[in-house]
Every structure is written in structure tokens, then in C-alpha cells.
Amino acid sequence: MQVSHSGITPTSAEVPDFPVLRVDSDRLVYQEALINGQYLGAHLSAMGRPKQRLEIWQDLQGGATSDRPLRTRQHAFMLEIDGQLLTDRWEWTGSHTDGVHTVVALRHQQRPVAVDVHTSCDGTSFFTRHLVITNTGDRPCAIAKVAPWSGLAWSAGDKGVLAPEHFSSADVELQALPHSAFTLGRMTDSSWANEGAFDWVPLPAGRSGIESMRGHSGFGAPSCFLRNEATGELLAIDLAWSGNWSITLFNDFEPARRPRCDARAYVEVALAGPAPLRVLEPGESAETPKVHVGALFGDLDAAIQARHRHIRTSVAPPQPQGAQHLVELNTWAAAQGQITEEQLYAEIDLAAELGAELFMLDANWFGNAASDWIDGLGDWNQESPLLTKGVRAALDRARENGLRAGLWVEPERVGSNSKLLADKPEWFMHRRGQVIPNLDLSQPQVAEYFENTITEIIDRYQLDCFRIDYNLRVGEGGEIDRDGYTENILWRYYDALYKVFDTIRERYPKLLLENCSSGGGRTDLGIMSRFHWTQVTDHFAPAPTARILNGATITLPPELCQPYPGRGAQGVSDIDFLIRVRLFGHFNFGASFPAVQDRNPATWERWRHGIELYKDFCRPLLPTSRMFHHTPIQRQTEPGEWIVWECADPTGDRAYAGIFRLQAAEGDSYHFRPRGLRTDRAYRIRYDTAGWDRELDGGALIDNGIRVPVASALTSELLLIEAV
């Protein structure tokens, strides 16, 4: 990573000095430049080829009548303050870099505001971007809009200034493409229990986009892929933000301009919500969430694996030594209501016998036994009277059985019977005169109470794992009157939430942190940079859960994704189907059996076998695996045919694959061609259901594949593959 203000040009043409930021990370090259007071995205390439200064100058220095590129979309960030969109009149005041992290300091010449542009790289094909915005004036200012990263992603079919006789040098004639010049890969359904609905759609001409306005990042993650159909390049975009967000895309395609038929894809990644999003006092600064941007050549698998590598390198916190990727039992499946002590202790004993390593006491450990758990949220000192020996005794019972012990808490929200809601109404979010039963963490005293509540629970029960849940939709979020403005509080709210869990991770380095939000309501990289794994859905029927996990592992590495198929007695499938889905994520189960006499011996043995496979074969491979999605497009509105995953060791020495048959599949077998093996190895393949072993040449496997029998709907086969 480097910043330059002058340089050699490839010709004798005169080019004035101007500053250029250049990021090189793996084969990604990204450049920005300050030209005529505008801080602009200059170039993004997945082939490791930077743009010469002369080209940058020729592209971006255009005069007042220049209309292409459309400069209002090429700014490297967007910032609107007090009704003025600050796209011009920026002044460069300095920069510094350590080669990995660069800060460019800008000052606006008209508004009293300074922006530090932070850009980082980690050796993967990604860079990250965030802003620090400072009010340098003597009166408050209001941020109405902020996009930490924006600009031109690509041009396609662009013939530049070539004469018509040289037009053939363009990459492709766009009108020869079957659809759009650009294709968007996104989650097409952001509703509860429909997470992971990934699909490709042509990017239409003009403006389009995706967003969440639930008050949290939503059941469709703030991320997408953009594919350049003319060049084959892929762009991956993630906003590390748990609040409301928008990703706006603009396909500037004007085929009527023939013979100069070209298209340009612009992107704007922004915080969303009613303005102002933040009111800054004189001298006050605000830091935006990070945007993660990756560029590469390759198919969807390559893009997913690049994203996983980046998340593992720079986002996901390492799990405490000796407690990585534990087999977890969660009590919620067994309870469904208030849990009795007898039932709870039997569950602990049987879970230990089955091979669990982490016991999670979910909701219903607190409050009045006669009321629903939702009503008692917030009064965390009142334990359920059904637990006569107390919560600590139950957790100690788990520890006596060799399990680590965790506890579920929903600390941001309060129930209708909460004493806190009655005593401190001013501590809660308010909007248009209405109280939202959600703590307003933008207030420092409330954030302090929130942190103290969590640390007190951790200390009281000596927790090995803390599980957060969040089951409320606050929409636009709360509001507060500040300096003559009505500020939306969500930016400050999530800043405070992140700060609390940054502090907790530092204070309790051995504590495991599990995330949940009605399942997959907050799985963005902002929250996942603080938690060790996340539940990906509250849909528990086996086939829909498998489809959801398919999409969840497109955005997050599999070891961070906790599915929960068949919670309790929900949904139907073959027992191996149910168990094997878990092998491709954080292994979690519940409701093993409430009593010994209810145990089905054959089913019990399949659970034992599945857990042993996870521990011995899958878990050592999973955290560094390359995951291949053989059937990436899965739709909850359709019965589906097959779900096929492959997790392969980076060396190609080991792999395992799950072949899951759905209701609309035709034929009694799937033709599986592995993608993560090597042509110069021979492999032993174990068919876990059939009980077969066979040895095959890696080249033959890759070229020809193998037939995998799966006899009926909602059954599966598991292939365990090792080099010999």
C-alpha cells in the first residue's frame, strides 16, 4: 500500500502532481486520487495491473461539461452534512502508512469538517475501508448521509477515445451478451426463517439496490457479489454493520449511444435511516463501520473461498485455546416452556454420555414459572422457581460431567413485566412519543448499566460461554433531540454495543461468545468480529434448515455457522440427514432425550457415530477448509432436488462431502465430481451410509466423478475422502 503525489508517465505528456492512493493485496489493485478537489475511485482490478498516472488524469480531470464518467457516482465515499453533499472542494492535508494500513487526511474547504480515510489490506484479495469524520467547526453539524465506500466498480465494453476503426479492441460487444453486462449475487429474501436465499439476478439499467430497515442487519446479510459478464471479474462487498444499511448499484448502460456501446457499474455502500444519522458537537468525531471489498477472477466457489479466507484472517476472533469448535447441547429444544430441574439434569447427563462438550442453558432459567419467558426479560436476578437448587447448581452439574457451561441472555430487550421498564422508562428507545422496549445504549449511563449487567451474570455463574439473543425489530430505531436536530440513535447504539463486547472479550479472554438474533437476524461482519459463531436460523425443519445453511456459508465460513435442524421433534427426515447437516457448521443439538427409557437405541447410536465423525474427521479440517457449493442456488419456495457440499483440506489430502436428496430429485443417485482434490494423488473414499470403501485416482475422480446412490427423499450419503 502506498501514497504518491507524482511519478513517471509513460509518455512525454505533461501531468500535474496529484495524490494517488494505491492498494495491492494478493492480485487486487485499487487506486484513488484527489483531482480538482474531488476524492475519486480511480481503478479497481483483479489482475494485479495498476493504472498509470497519465490514464488516471485523462479519465478523471474532465472539465465542467464532462458527463462520462458520471462524477457524482465516482466519489470514493459519500458524505452529506447539513444538507450539503460534500463531493467537491476537498483538500489533502496529509497521509501516513505502515504498508498495511493507510490514513489519508482530507479537509473540506467550505464546511468545517475533516475526514480521515482509513484503508487496510491483509494479503487476501480484499481491502477494508472506513472513515473518521470530525466536526472542526464551532457549532453542531448533522450527518444526513454517509457511504464509507462508493465509486466505479467496472466499465465494460468501454472503447475509450478510440477511433471507430479500432473499436474491436474492447473486451466484448455488450449487445452480444445474453443479459446484462453485470450480474448481482444477493440474498433475495430477507424475512425471518428464510435466510440464505442466494441467487443471481441481472443488474438492470439504472438504479437498483438492497437494504435492511429492521433496526438490525436483517435476515439477508449486508453483502453481495457483483459479476462483470464482459471480463469475468467478481466483486465481493460486505458492510460490517449491525444496523440499518443500503447497497445501491447503478448500471450506466446506454445502448443507444452506438457505436460507443458501453456500461459502467457504480456502487454505494451506506448506513440507512432517517436523517440525521449523527449530530456531531464541535470537536467530536464519529467512526463509520468498515466496508470489505474483494476483487478476483473465478467462479462462485473461488469468490466464496476468498471471502472465507479474508474473514478468517481479519474478522473472526480466534476461539480460546482448548475450546475450539465444541459440540454443543442447547436446552431450548427440550423446554419449549419452563424447564423443570429433573428434566434439565437428565438432559445434562445424557448429553455428556452422547459426547457433548458445551452445555448451553437457554431461555426459561429466569422469571416466574407461570409466565412466558418473553415477559420476564430484563430482571436477570430472578431465577425460575422450578430450578430449586438454582442456576449455578445446574451449570455445575454440567461441569461435573466434563462439559463447559454457558447461558442464554437477551440483554438489550426487556419484557412487559420487567421492573426495569417501569422504574427507568427514560432508559429505553423512544420514537414519535412511543416507548420501544429496548435499552437505549446511545445513553452512556445505559451502556454502563448494560455492560455491568452482562459482566455480573458472567461472574455470578462463572460462565464458559455467553449466548446473546435479540428478538426485537426496532425499525428505524429510536430518536433523540440534540442541538435542534432529531438524531436517529442507531449509529451511536451499535457503537456502544460493539464497545461493550470489545471490553468483554478483553476482560474474559477464555470466554466463548455465541451470537443469535431470532436465528439469523444479525450475522453481519460487525457483530461477527466480536463473536465466535452464530446461529443462522430459527427454522428447524431439516430440509429448509439445510437450504438456509447453504446460503449462510456463502457469506460466512462454515465453522462460524450454527444450524439447528430438527430441534426437538420439528420436521421430518432420515436421522442421518438431520445429523450430517451439522457436520458442515458448528455442531449443535438439543433434546437428546428427557429420560433413559425414551431412548431409541438405533437413533442413539447414529448420534454417537455422527458426533465421533465430527470430532475425529470433520472438526480438524473445517476451520481451514475450502468449501465448495455444488448446488449454490436453493429456494425455500421450491421443494428442491439436491444439496451438495464439499469441504476440502487446502492441501487436497482430505475432504468430506454431503449429498442430501430433496423431494423433487429425479433418479436414485447423484453424479458427484469433487473439486478440492488433486490429480496427482490416489484417494480412499468411505461411503458412510453404504459402508463401502473404494480407492480411485484423483485425476479420474475430478474428470469423471462418481455415482453416489441416495435412494429416497430426505436421505443422504456422506463421503469421507483421504489420500493414500
Side-chain angles (χ1 to χ4, degrees):
M1 189 177 295
Q2 58 180 297
V3 174
S4 63
H5 291 258
S6 63
I8 299 172
T9 60
T11 72
S12 60
E14 292 187 9
V15 178
D17 292 344
F18 61 93
V20 176
L21 167 69
R22 174 175 159 181
V23 178
D24 289 76
S25 192
D26 196 27
R27 296 180 188 176
L28 175 146
V29 172
Y30 176 64
Q31 293 165 284
E32 294 174 342
L34 181 67
I35 295 180
N36 296 333
Q38 297 181 312
Y39 193 66
L40 303 168
H43 181 57
L44 176 62
S45 170
M47 64 187 297
R49 184 171 67 183
K51 235 178 192 179
Q52 299 287 345
R53 298 178 64 85
L54 174 62
E55 294 178 276
I56 294 174
W57 177 255
Q58 289 175 336
D59 284 348
L60 299 179
Q61 61 84 30
T65 60
S66 173
D67 66 346
R68 296 179 77 85
L70 298 180
R71 299 281 283 279
T72 56
R73 301 190 188 99
Q74 195 145 347
H75 299 277
F77 64 87
M78 293 288 186
L79 178 62
E80 182 180 334
I81 290 183
D82 290 339
Q84 183 177 358
L85 187 62
L86 306 184
T87 55
D88 289 272
R89 303 196 182 185
W90 288 106
E91 178 185 15
W92 185 290
T93 60
S95 65
H96 60 270
T97 182
D98 60 9
V100 173
H101 178 210
T102 296
V103 180
V104 170
L106 303 175
R107 181 179 65 86
H108 200 260
Q109 295 173 313
Q110 190 175 55
R111 306 296 305 182
V113 61
V115 173
D116 286 343
V117 182
H118 291 252
T119 310
S120 298
C121 59
D122 61 3
T124 71
S125 54
F126 279 73
F127 70 89
T128 61
R129 155 63 48 80
H130 73 276
L131 309 176
V132 176
I133 305 162
T134 302
N135 180 359
T136 60
D138 57 5
R139 64 184 64 185
C141 68
I143 301 175
K145 173 182 179 179
V146 61
W149 183 74
S150 60
L152 176 68
W154 296 302
S155 61
D158 190 352
K159 303 165 184 68
V161 296
L162 296 174
E165 60 269 21
H166 299 300
F167 279 179
S168 60
S169 66
D171 291 316
V172 71
E173 173 56 59
L174 294 187
Q175 291 192 337
L177 295 173
H179 300 294
S180 171
F182 310 105
T183 307
L184 177 66
R186 53 160 292 191
M187 299 300 170
T188 59
D189 192 329
S190 59
S191 59
W192 177 83
N194 287 292
E195 302 93 336
F198 178 83
D199 210 342
W200 292 101
V201 294
L203 188 66
R207 187 180 299 276
S208 60
I210 52 179
E211 69 173 20
S212 174
M213 286 294 293
R214 288 175 169 80
H216 57 78
S217 53
F219 299 97
S223 65
C224 66
F225 291 113
L226 191 62
R227 186 167 60 204
N228 187 331
E229 300 293 354
T231 67
E233 290 174 278
L234 274 165
L235 187 71
I237 301 168
D238 289 87
L239 177 62
W241 178 236
S242 304
N244 293 328
W245 57 272
S246 68
I247 300 177
T248 303
L249 303 118
F250 193 93
N251 181 1
D252 179 23
F253 179 44
E254 297 181 5
R257 297 177 70 246
R258 290 182 63 84
R260 290 190 61 187
C261 179
D262 60 346
R264 299 184 178 212
Y266 298 88
V267 183
E268 183 181 291
V269 186
L271 281 65
L277 302 171
R278 192 83 170 236
V279 178
L280 297 181
E281 299 289 338
E284 184 182 1
S285 298
E287 183 174 325
T288 71
K290 292 180 179 178
V291 181
H292 300 248
V293 183
L296 69 152
F297 282 92
D299 60 8
L300 180 60
D301 277 332
I304 292 170
Q305 291 162 19
R307 177 185 266 163
H308 289 179
R309 181 186 171 211
H310 172 65
I311 292 171
R312 288 165 173 162
T313 301
S314 297
V315 178
Q319 298 190 18
Q321 188 66 32
Q324 297 100 324
H325 314 294
L326 302 178
V327 175
E328 176 184 345
L329 173 122
N330 185 294
T331 63
W332 176 248
Q336 298 294 311
Q338 292 289 348
I339 194 168
T340 66
E341 199 155 58
E342 180 183 8
Q343 180 187 25
L344 183 62
Y345 280 41
E347 185 82 359
I348 292 170
D349 295 345
L350 290 170
E353 182 184 344
L354 198 56
E357 299 162 310
L358 171 63
F359 167 74
M360 183 65 65
L361 179 53
D362 210 289
N364 302 316
W365 61 268
F366 55 90
N368 189 320
S371 65
D372 190 86
W373 62 273
I374 295 175
D375 299 328
L377 292 171
D379 296 333
W380 303 108
N381 291 321
Q382 182 181 355
E383 296 184 354
S384 169
L386 297 177
L387 301 178
T388 58
K389 298 177 183 178
V391 170
R392 178 63 186 267
L395 300 181
D396 287 344
R397 176 68 168 252
R399 295 185 179 101
E400 290 165 5
N401 277 273
L403 284 74
R404 287 176 168 82
L407 196 64
W408 175 101
V409 185
E410 189 172 355
E412 297 159 77
R413 180 186 176 199
V414 297
S416 57
N417 294 338
S418 170
K419 186 174 183 294
L420 183 65
L421 185 62
D423 291 349
K424 297 283 189 180
E426 72 279 6
W427 278 18
F428 295 87
M429 288 187 184
H430 292 74
R431 185 172 65 245
R432 303 184 187 100
Q434 296 181 330
V435 177
I436 304 171
N438 195 106
L439 288 172
D440 178 5
L441 302 185
S442 72
Q443 300 182 45
Q445 71 273 23
V446 180
E448 181 181 7
Y449 165 82
F450 176 78
E451 181 178 332
N452 290 340
T453 297
I454 294 172
T455 56
E456 194 277 329
I457 291 172
I458 294 169
D459 292 338
R460 186 198 316 164
Y461 298 115
Q462 294 296 292
L463 296 181
D464 301 300
C465 183
F466 180 90
R467 171 178 162 94
I468 192 175
D469 205 349
Y470 188 58
N471 294 292
L472 191 62
R473 318 286 179 266
V474 299
E476 296 175 353
E479 61 186 20
I480 188 171
D481 291 337
R482 192 185 300 273
D483 297 315
Y485 301 95
T486 301
E487 181 188 74
N488 183 280
I489 70 166
L490 277 187
W491 189 348
R492 294 184 190 272
Y493 178 90
Y494 279 109
D495 276 357
L497 180 71
Y498 292 163
K499 183 179 179 182
V500 166
F501 280 98
D502 288 341
T503 301
I504 286 172
R505 283 187 54 226
E506 183 176 354
R507 180 171 175 177
Y508 303 99
K510 295 182 179 181
L511 181 70
L512 293 165
L513 292 167
E514 179 179 312
N515 177 56
C516 182
S517 177
S518 295
R522 286 195 308 208
T523 60
D524 58 273
L525 298 190
I527 202 80
M528 292 310 301
S529 66
R530 278 95 182 167
F531 286 79
H532 294 112
W533 67 86
T534 186
Q535 187 167 318
V536 295
T537 186
D538 271 351
H539 202 325
F540 306 116
T545 301
R547 286 193 286 265
I548 289 168
L549 181 63
N550 180 83
T553 52
I554 287 175
T555 57
L556 292 174
E559 70 274 13
L560 304 187
C561 298
Q562 175 178 282
Y564 208 171
R567 188 191 78 172
Q570 295 190 25
V572 175
S573 76
D574 171 67
I575 189 64
D576 283 330
F577 186 111
L578 189 77
I579 295 168
R580 287 169 178 163
V581 170
R582 293 167 161 86
L583 299 178
F584 295 86
H586 175 87
F587 199 106
N588 175 58
F589 69 102
S592 51
F593 295 100
V596 173
Q597 62 267 25
D598 291 333
R599 182 189 306 180
N600 178 286
T603 297
W604 185 263
E605 286 308 311
R606 295 314 295 170
W607 275 107
R608 287 175 62 93
H609 176 70
I611 290 173
E612 288 173 0
L613 278 179
Y614 174 76
K615 291 180 178 179
D616 296 339
F617 195 97
C618 303
R619 179 165 62 185
L621 187 156
L622 193 64
T624 59
S625 67
R626 294 179 296 149
M627 187 171 188
F628 296 88
H629 291 72
H630 291 255
T631 54
I633 310 302
Q634 300 289 334
R635 302 182 177 97
Q636 292 288 22
T637 55
E638 301 173 0
E641 297 181 358
W642 300 90
I643 298 175
V644 180
W645 301 314
E646 175 188 354
C647 285
D649 184 275
T651 65
D653 289 338
R654 306 179 86 200
Y656 64 101
I659 318 293
F660 301 89
R661 181 172 173 176
L662 302 180
Q663 293 92 329
E666 297 181 359
D668 59 359
S669 65
Y670 181 85
H671 184 212
F672 175 67
R673 295 178 62 184
R675 301 175 185 172
L677 306 184
R678 294 176 51 163
T679 59
D680 61 347
R681 300 283 177 88
Y683 292 92
R684 178 183 297 111
I685 304 173
R686 175 74 175 179
Y687 291 67
D688 189 57
T689 298
W692 302 337
D693 283 302
R694 59 190 302 194
E695 290 189 13
L696 291 170
D697 175 73
L701 272 171
I702 294 169
D703 291 343
N704 304 319
I706 52 175
R707 175 181 173 269
V708 182
V710 184
S712 62
L714 300 184
T715 61
S716 64
E717 180 60 274
L718 178 70
L719 304 179
L720 306 172
I721 307 169
E722 293 186 272
V724 293

